[in-house]
Amino acid sequence: MKLFARIVVTAALLAAPAAAQVSSSSNQDAAQPAPVQRRGVEAAGSAVTLETSEQMFTVAAALNACGYDAGLRESLPVRAAVRHEMAEQVENVDGGLPAQRALCGYIQAHQLAGAQNLAQFVSVALFLTPDLQLSYAENQMPPDALNVDNVLPLLRTWAATIHLHAIFVEHRPDYERAVLQVHDTVTRMLLETNAYLHQPATVYDGRRFLVLLEPMLSPEAANARIYGTDYFVVLSATTPQPDAKTEAMRKAGLHLEELRHIYLLYEIDPIIYARASATSRLMPILKTVQDAPIDFLYKNDINAFMTECLIKAIEARTMETGIERPSRKANGKERFDPAGFNIALADYERRAEVVRRQQVIRDMRSGWVLTQYFYDKLSTEDREGISLKESMGELVYGMDVPAEAGRDKKIAFFPEGSPDLVGVSGSGGSTTRRGKALKQAPLTAMDQAERKLQQGDRAGAADLAEKELAAHPDSPEAMYVMARLHLMQREPQEAFDTFEKIVANGKDMRTVAWSHVYLGRMYDTALAQPDRTKAVAEYKAALAVPGIQSDVQAAAEQGLKQAFAVPQRAPQKPAPSDDDDVDAITRRQKESYSPSEEKKPQ
């Protein structure tokens, strides 16, 4: 069965994009015990691709058949045509109606609020083989996909009964035309982003940035995922709108905001995490955002928080302001008044800067308090033509952390639900349009246990974890808290046994991956007889877990490079207050830092 109509996004295709070609290659990951096929992504070739997927089509078609009408009027004509043909098949083939009733009954019974409903089905579709089986074992799947994985037998029956594959083959030319419609705009965005970052054209380095175009979904909905080293964006397009505000909508009928956001994440992630140890000096900034309307992850992960703020600063620097930039030509001829052009250009820059600064203020008041710092620094880097990779050391060491924290504490955050809130596009969930509020779930008991653990309240964390285990004995999150508590209490065997239980039975990919890392460290150091071979196997197992985030990946890769060593404890000092100089050591590092003397991370 042919799976993908692919166009490779490269600079060479800007002038004359080649016709889409079909690829059915697969990549079997030797480190995984269960997978049949790894989401149809080839093992070699360009790092950035624009594709369509029959598995995604099948899941999206099922949603359409069961009442998913979002964005129908704005969708490309192929969506209405497929819906019409599916309806005819359901009416005319034997078993069509019963198969669809069973499928739709399941889908409707597993609905979630808002965009999360579509997101869970997108996650499943990304992990399907050609015969609509899961491509990974259940304990390796993303949690949201497991909410609805039991839909697959019903989906297979329904698709076979109404001959859905034949419908897809019939409309493959429509899908190829849709890809060609958006190709130049996507390519231009990628190249312009690389140019702004002073990054070379992306080549294959083991990571993937994959754009999946699915016209059966709403053009207003974009979903982004990061699974290990694979970055996915699933989106749709509409008919180009000549009167639209953005160039992307005018030329390609495409909302580019989420796509560009996740591409910036793809480019910036390795730069940030290469300095993961140095960014720890910015931890005091997180104290200032504990009451901010941002997700729990960003309040406790300085690297994730710093990355998001840096991306928002770049987006503000490069945003479409709605103000027309003066041209050197008038009516196709060179202007004879250079002085007048320069005056017009200066006026444009002044007015555009006002719009950009207003966006920075919205970002700051939404909780992304480092946006202004990065925005100001990027202004200098833009003038001097320095790449982000080269300037990252100065961005980290050049920050006066106590002064920045003092300023950030005075920011008045937007209240929850404010229409001015600027949320997060992309990683790990469904995306939100810029300027709309993210609906946050309340902290779970295990979120509270994690916070207490980070605050040094071991007794409070243990109490919450023990209560969770009493109610749910197999809770991997609670076991993960208890395992680390055992380590802190110098109970290595208990910790080791608990981490092994998580690895064997856990379904939360993050806790499973970190448990592998901890087991590797314990094989390196904590057991009676260190075993480097088993430690390396655990680090490799962590890297093989689908959906791991960059911090886990960095820890596992470091473990592969060299055996873990327990840090030597320095004499304990009184905890500093918010007004103390909390950054004396790294201030001296900053003062001694010189970009020309910077060493590459080992």
Side-chain angles (χ1 to χ4, degrees), residues 2 14 40 127 154 275 304 316 354 374 398 424 462 469 497 527 546 574 580:
K2 296 179 179 179
L14 261 179
F127 283 86
L154 300 172
R275 296 184 172 276
V354 170
F374 288 129
V424 180
L469 287 170
D497 293 343
L527 300 178
D580 289 339

Side-chain angles (χ1 to χ4, degrees), residues 324 326-336:
E324 184 177 358
S327 172
R328 288 183 177 275
K329 294 184 178 182
N331 298 322
K333 298 181 179 180
E334 292 288 340
R335 287 190 174 183
F336 295 102

Side-chain angles (χ1 to χ4, degrees), residues 65-348:
C66 297
Y68 173 72
D69 297 330
L72 183 58
R73 292 179 59 185
E74 295 79 21
S75 295
L76 293 172
V78 64
R79 184 178 178 189
V82 170
R83 286 166 62 105
H84 176 72
E85 291 179 28
M86 290 192 303
E88 284 190 337
Q89 287 291 95
V90 169
E91 289 288 339
N92 296 328
V93 303
D94 291 338
L97 282 171
Q100 183 154 306
R101 288 194 191 103
L103 175 69
C104 295
Y106 181 94
I107 290 175
Q108 291 163 5
H110 290 78
Q111 284 188 344
L112 297 179
Q116 294 301 322
N117 187 55
L118 174 61
Q120 60 183 343
F121 289 101
V122 167
S123 289
V124 167
L126 288 171
F127 283 86
L128 292 183
T129 63
D131 55 353
L132 303 180
Q133 302 281 349
L134 290 179
S135 58
Y136 282 96
E138 283 194 5
N139 64 353
Q140 298 172 318
M141 292 289 294
D144 62 340
L146 293 178
N147 292 339
V148 291
D149 63 331
N150 288 328
V151 75
L152 295 181
L154 300 172
L155 182 65
R156 289 191 291 269
T157 300
W158 172 77
T161 302
I162 70 167
H163 308 293
L164 188 63
H165 173 64
I167 296 176
F168 177 73
V169 171
E170 178 187 351
H171 289 282
R172 188 189 300 277
D174 295 318
Y175 271 60
E176 292 177 356
R177 282 191 290 272
V179 171
L180 289 172
Q181 172 184 313
V182 305
H183 173 268
D184 283 1
T185 296
V186 172
T187 302
R188 187 172 296 107
M189 181 277 292
L190 300 176
L191 294 177
E192 288 176 351
T193 302
N194 281 343
Y196 179 81
L197 299 175
H198 298 280
Q199 293 281 88
T202 304
V203 294
Y204 183 71
D205 61 354
R207 300 188 307 132
R208 290 280 175 179
F209 184 81
L210 177 62
V211 182
L212 280 175
L213 186 69
E214 181 43 68
M216 296 299 292
L217 300 178
S218 168
E220 297 292 329
N223 275 263
R225 299 287 187 278
I226 302 174
Y227 294 136
T229 57
D230 291 337
Y231 290 64
F232 292 89
V233 182
V234 182
L235 45 72
S236 185
T238 186
T239 304
Q241 308 291 319
D243 299 328
K245 293 182 179 180
T246 65
E247 182 180 358
M249 282 297 293
R250 290 193 296 270
K251 292 185 176 181
L254 195 64
H255 290 292
L256 273 183
E257 293 91 341
E258 290 85 359
L259 177 58
R260 188 165 188 265
H261 190 101
I262 199 69
Y263 185 67
L264 282 167
L265 191 62
Y266 170 79
E267 291 287 3
I268 293 172
D269 255 353
I271 299 175
I272 294 287
Y273 282 94
R275 296 184 172 276
S277 59
T279 56
S280 61
R281 71 183 298 271
L282 309 184
M283 287 293 290
I285 300 297
L286 294 183
K287 292 183 179 180
T288 70
V289 297
Q290 293 306 304
D291 294 326
I294 61 177
D295 189 76
F296 177 77
L297 166 68
Y298 298 98
K299 296 179 182 182
N300 294 275
D301 185 335
I302 188 59
N303 291 308
F305 179 77
M306 179 180 173
T307 301
E308 190 63 31
C309 290
L310 179 54
I311 288 174
K312 293 196 180 301
I314 293 171
E315 290 174 334
R317 291 287 305 161
T318 57
M319 68 184 292
E320 290 189 35
T321 61
I323 302 172
E324 184 177 358
R325 186 184 182 92
S327 172
R328 288 183 177 275
K329 294 184 178 182
N331 298 322
K333 298 181 179 180
E334 292 288 340
R335 287 190 174 183
F336 295 102
D337 183 11
F341 168 75
N342 291 334
I343 292 173
L345 182 62
D347 180 65
Y348 161 79

Side-chain angles (χ1 to χ4, degrees), residues 411-529:
I411 296 174
F413 297 124
F414 289 129
E416 290 283 356
S418 169
D420 294 315
L421 270 175
V422 179
V424 180
S425 292
S427 57
S430 72
T431 60
T432 57
R433 300 287 305 147
R434 191 175 181 84
K436 293 184 180 180
L438 287 176
K439 293 184 178 180
Q440 282 183 258
L443 291 182
T444 66
M446 289 303 94
D447 288 335
Q448 297 174 35
E450 289 285 350
R451 176 172 289 184
K452 288 183 180 295
L453 200 60
Q454 292 168 4
Q455 294 171 344
D457 183 1
R458 298 182 187 178
D463 181 60
L464 288 169
E466 288 169 352
K467 288 179 179 177
E468 179 72 11
L469 287 170
H472 305 95
D474 295 327
S475 168
E477 294 86 356
M479 287 193 286
Y480 184 59
V481 171
M482 292 303 301
R484 287 175 292 157
L485 282 168
H486 286 313
L487 281 180
M488 295 176 184
Q489 295 164 358
R490 300 177 182 270
E491 299 168 345
Q493 189 59 54
E494 289 83 350
F496 184 87
D497 293 343
T498 306
F499 284 130
E500 282 205 318
K501 287 181 182 178
I502 297 171
V503 167
N505 303 309
K507 292 187 177 181
D508 179 75
M509 295 298 98
R510 183 170 174 80
T511 57
V512 169
W514 268 117
S515 295
H516 279 300
V517 170
Y518 275 111
L519 286 170
R521 291 174 175 178
M522 296 186 75
Y523 275 122
D524 271 336
T525 63
L527 300 178
Q529 294 182 341

Side-chain angles (χ1 to χ4, degrees), residues 36-52:
V36 176
Q37 184 176 17
R38 193 180 182 200
R39 303 187 298 284
V41 177
E42 293 179 346
S46 174
V48 181
T49 53
L50 174 62
E51 302 181 3
T52 60

